[in-house]
Amino acid sequence: MPLDVAPMASFTLHGIPVSRGIAIGRAHLLTPAVLDVRHYLVPEERIEAEVKRLQDALAEVHRELQHLWTELPKDAPTELGAFIDVHALILSDPMISEAPLEIIRTRHYNAEWALVTQIDELSAQFDEIEDSYLRERKADIQQVAERVLKVLMGTAQLKHPVQASLSDEFQPQMIVVAHDISPADMLQFRDGSFIGFVTDVGGQNSHTAIVARSLDIPAAVGMSQASRLIEQDDWVIVDGDAGVVIANPSQIVLEQYRERQAAQLKARKKLLKLKKTPAITRDGTPVTLLANIELPDDCHGALEQGAQGVGLFRSEFLFMGRGHHMPSEDEQFEQYRKAVAAMKGRPVTIRTLDIGADKPLDQTEHTALNPALGLRAIRYCLAEPQLFLTQLRAILRASAFGKVRILLPMIAHAFEIDQSLAMIEQAKAELREAGKKYDPGVEVGAMIEIPAAALCLPLFVKRLNFLSIGTNDLIQYTLAIDRVDYEVAHLYNPLHPAVLQLIAMTISAGAKAGIDVAVCGEMAGDAKLTRLLLGMGLREFSMHPAQLLMVKQEILNSDIEAVSAKTRKIMRSMEPGAIAEAVEALRTM
């Protein structure tokens, strides 16, 4: 169907590419207020029911205001009564009482999302008013909206309709444009309502970028002014491969990108033929390909791409966005068990809670001067032993249903390993006392993501069953770069010689000790680096499912002996330019 592109001035923004592919659709600007509510699309047959839900909420707030008026003390200041009157008038205004209903009917937004969208549009109009008194009335509108939202959230369904239930006629083509989107917020968009993401801030390996890749949705970050320059409903092209965003494209540019989009889709379909092909190099070396997941539902996509197991289950996504209401042991157990059952006997490696830095439990927790170096990951867990024990018991209980491995994040000290192992033994003892089953031989490993850990590997290999290299943080800590700060994102370099030396040392130490070593960071899913990692001796890769088949294709076309010889030369180099050229040459062998 041809697009009706508005004859508006076209402009191009350049940022950081973080997720492959091309997306073409309408811009949907999100403000922090919009991100506070749930987003889902309502099927056609439930539209009027959703309209009624908002109407009922508006009526309930009307009753609340009337009750407040009747309960006012006789000696109450007259301003209080006037305040209630103003709110009642705002509530009755068609811009509040009718416009959001139309948004539900035309855009299929759920009631909360429709209301906040309308309030944001009104707020923007008030910001343009010169009179300061009238401009400040925006706060009254927002307060009325908050009352309605509280009622709506009290009536919200526990499960929202699945995007797939919508007919093709109503399938949206929306691209999120925001100043920033937290990883927890991004998980709201997993149902397919959105086809691309654009943010002002962020870096190549911020967790927002990582989640975008896991959703396999084109995204570009570090756009600086995107959320201010792009307007609601503008046509937008997101070139996730180049980190380019084109707003209001011309018809010629649009057709060019349509052709590229079709070619990419064809190439992806061709890759699907490799799904059942074993990951074995040309000279017969088998390689294990695992998936990184955030939630149990991701297992289906992992199996669809031929994953041999889960190399990293990021358990923190079960905790995020809940304030201080932590999931119970039973709730966690059910989620872990669900993932184990979904993988049908394949191994599932569950990383214990890794919060802090750009993954706070809620958006109010950035209190440390430098969260990346503060109380995060294993440090947090050891400081909160009951929370840690609850999670360990849940993981161990899931091990009774299939092969489970426990992965400890951000380990740097021997005592952290020893304390963690002691707590695992305590969790086992508590389960035995409670008569609950678990696998007594569950394996325990550690993330190698701090240079100190890579430099003290003998401490690790004699205490643990396996290692997993978290290249995202390893690069961050080695190069002293905040990977969520777009102003220094250009300094983030996985091919820095120091980074390569630490990775090679870890792989070599694991091989000598006879324990498995995987790479579960973003380097594992970068097909341009596959042969380099193979040449270093890596035989276990864990990545987003969307990247798995491209990496498998590189493995199938590789010769271990040849890439190993070339890699040894690369490792002797200290010149970044020469390293980059040599790595690129590996792909042409």
Side-chain angles (χ1 to χ4, degrees):
M1 182 176 70
L3 298 178
D4 180 20
V5 181
M8 299 176 67
S10 178
F11 59 90
T12 301
L13 301 172
H14 296 269
I16 301 168
V18 297
S19 186
R20 64 176 184 157
I22 293 168
I24 303 172
R26 293 279 192 184
H28 184 76
L29 271 65
L30 292 184
T31 64
V34 176
L35 289 172
D36 286 339
V37 303
R38 293 180 66 188
H39 296 65
Y40 58 89
L41 292 161
V42 181
E44 177 67 19
E45 65 272 13
R46 295 198 66 257
I47 289 295
E48 290 308 314
E50 194 70 6
V51 166
K52 186 176 185 304
R53 193 163 76 87
L54 180 51
Q55 290 173 328
D56 290 346
L58 292 166
E60 176 62 27
V61 174
H62 263 300
R63 288 191 290 271
E64 288 179 2
L65 293 175
Q66 289 172 355
H67 180 73
L68 285 173
W69 176 262
T70 58
E71 294 296 317
L72 276 176
K74 291 181 180 180
D75 58 348
T78 56
E79 289 82 3
L80 282 179
F83 174 81
I84 295 172
D85 286 339
V86 167
H87 278 210
L89 286 171
I90 290 172
L91 197 61
S92 301
D93 190 287
M95 296 301 288
I96 302 294
S97 62
E98 296 178 12
L101 307 181
E102 191 61 21
I103 291 175
I104 295 173
R105 291 188 175 107
T106 57
R107 303 192 199 178
H108 288 235
Y109 291 3
N110 61 298
E112 294 89 343
W113 187 9
L115 178 63
V116 173
T117 298
Q118 175 64 10
I119 295 302
D120 277 349
E121 292 178 7
L122 288 175
S123 297
Q125 293 173 20
F126 271 80
D127 287 337
E128 299 299 320
I129 297 174
E130 292 186 7
D131 185 279
S132 60
Y133 176 81
L134 291 176
R135 188 169 61 245
E136 289 174 6
R137 301 287 62 78
K138 177 179 75 172
D140 292 321
I141 293 175
Q142 292 171 334
Q143 287 167 8
V144 170
E146 286 174 8
R147 281 186 171 274
V148 180
L149 282 172
K150 285 179 181 177
V151 175
L152 284 171
M153 291 177 176
T155 64
Q157 298 173 334
L158 292 177
K159 295 183 179 179
H160 59 73
V162 180
Q163 168 67 22
S165 65
L166 288 168
S167 65
D168 290 341
E169 180 184 356
F170 295 103
Q171 286 288 346
Q173 297 289 294
M174 292 186 286
I175 293 171
V176 173
V177 180
H179 178 69
D180 194 15
I181 310 175
S182 75
D185 290 327
M186 287 198 70
L187 291 179
Q188 296 185 72
F189 309 124
R190 301 168 73 87
D191 62 3
S193 305
F194 298 87
I195 60 170
F197 296 90
V198 178
T199 62
D200 297 339
V201 299
Q204 173 71 31
N205 285 284
S206 64
H207 276 87
T208 299
I210 292 171
V211 175
R213 283 192 286 273
S214 74
L215 296 174
D216 198 20
I217 293 177
V221 303
M223 289 289 172
S224 184
Q225 300 292 317
S227 66
R228 295 181 63 185
L229 297 175
I230 297 172
E231 296 184 0
Q232 192 81 357
D233 290 329
D234 277 356
W235 279 106
V236 174
I237 296 173
V238 178
D239 184 342
D241 299 301
V244 169
V245 172
I246 304 172
N248 304 310
S250 67
Q251 196 65 40
I252 293 175
V253 170
L254 187 64
E255 291 305 319
Q256 290 175 342
Y257 273 92
R258 281 289 190 203
E259 290 176 7
R260 286 181 55 189
Q261 195 178 45
Q264 288 182 353
L265 182 61
K266 185 177 180 180
R268 289 194 186 197
K269 288 182 177 178
K270 186 177 179 181
L271 276 177
L272 285 173
K273 296 178 181 178
L274 300 179
K275 173 184 172 182
K276 296 184 179 179
T277 303
I280 300 175
T281 63
R282 287 205 309 254
D283 53 345
T285 302
V287 178
T288 301
L289 295 180
L290 306 169
N292 296 347
I293 67 171
E294 280 81 39
L295 295 170
D297 290 344
D298 296 338
C299 291
H300 175 72
L303 292 174
E304 281 295 305
Q305 298 298 316
Q308 295 167 265
V310 170
L312 176 62
F313 183 155
R314 296 186 175 98
S315 66
E316 56 271 14
F317 285 94
L318 301 177
F319 292 74
M320 291 167 65
R322 301 171 60 121
H324 293 281
H325 301 288
M326 296 295 98
S328 66
E329 178 183 328
D330 286 343
E331 185 180 347
Q332 289 186 62
F333 159 67
E334 187 54 37
Q335 294 299 308
Y336 303 143
R337 186 203 60 77
K338 185 178 177 183
V340 171
M343 293 309 293
K344 302 174 182 176
R346 298 170 180 84
V348 175
T349 301
I350 302 173
R351 183 174 67 188
T352 57
L353 185 60
D354 183 6
I355 60 162
D358 65 339
K359 295 181 295 177
L361 286 179
D362 62 46
Q363 296 306 305
T364 66
E365 294 200 0
H366 281 302
T367 55
L369 291 176
N370 192 332
L373 301 180
L375 191 66
R376 58 164 296 199
I378 199 64
R379 301 170 182 176
Y380 182 90
C381 289
L382 292 175
E384 298 286 345
Q386 290 308 313
L387 180 146
F388 194 27
L389 281 169
T390 297
Q391 181 176 36
L392 291 174
R393 288 194 302 269
I395 295 173
L396 287 167
R397 286 170 61 189
S399 71
F401 296 84
K403 184 173 175 55
V404 170
R405 301 195 302 176
I406 298 173
L407 182 59
L408 305 171
M410 204 181 174
I411 296 285
H413 304 275
F415 75 82
E416 290 173 331
I417 303 175
D418 295 338
Q419 288 181 15
S420 297
L421 292 175
M423 292 194 73
I424 291 171
E425 290 304 313
Q426 182 179 339
K428 289 179 179 179
E430 291 173 359
L431 290 178
R432 285 195 300 271
E433 186 176 344
K436 294 180 178 179
K437 295 181 179 179
Y438 66 92
D439 175 10
V442 67
E443 294 184 342
V444 181
M447 297 277 289
I448 303 299
E449 48 193 342
I450 298 176
L455 294 170
C456 296
L457 288 165
L459 291 174
F460 287 70
V461 296
K462 73 179 183 180
R463 287 171 163 83
L464 298 161
N465 304 114
F466 66 97
L467 303 175
S468 190
I469 306 172
T471 53
N472 307 338
D473 273 335
L474 183 63
I475 296 167
Q476 171 175 247
Y477 293 131
T478 302
L479 302 183
I481 293 169
D482 185 345
R483 61 190 175 106
V484 303
D485 186 346
Y486 74 100
E487 292 183 328
V488 295
H490 64 286
L491 300 174
Y492 188 95
N493 181 15
L495 294 181
H496 191 288
V499 173
L500 296 184
Q501 292 294 332
L502 293 174
I503 294 172
M505 287 167 54
T506 305
I507 295 171
S508 176
K512 289 178 182 176
I515 66 173
D516 292 337
V517 176
V519 168
C520 65
E522 290 300 294
M523 286 181 70
D526 189 341
K528 298 188 296 294
L529 304 179
T530 300
R531 295 188 184 188
L532 174 67
L533 293 172
L534 287 173
M536 289 182 180
L538 187 68
R539 299 296 180 263
E540 190 172 302
F541 295 67
S542 188
M543 68 205 75
H544 304 298
Q547 301 165 320
L548 197 143
L549 293 178
M550 289 188 295
V551 170
K552 181 183 283 190
Q553 187 176 55
E554 287 293 314
I555 291 169
L556 296 173
N557 293 325
S558 297
D559 181 285
I560 291 294
E561 186 175 349
V563 298
S564 296
K566 293 286 186 182
T567 299
R568 285 193 290 272
K569 292 183 180 179
I570 292 173
M571 296 304 297
R572 290 195 290 269
S573 176
M574 288 291 143
E575 292 297 327
I579 292 173
E581 288 179 11
V583 171
E584 183 61 31
L586 274 177
R587 301 195 72 191
T588 62
M589 291 177 57

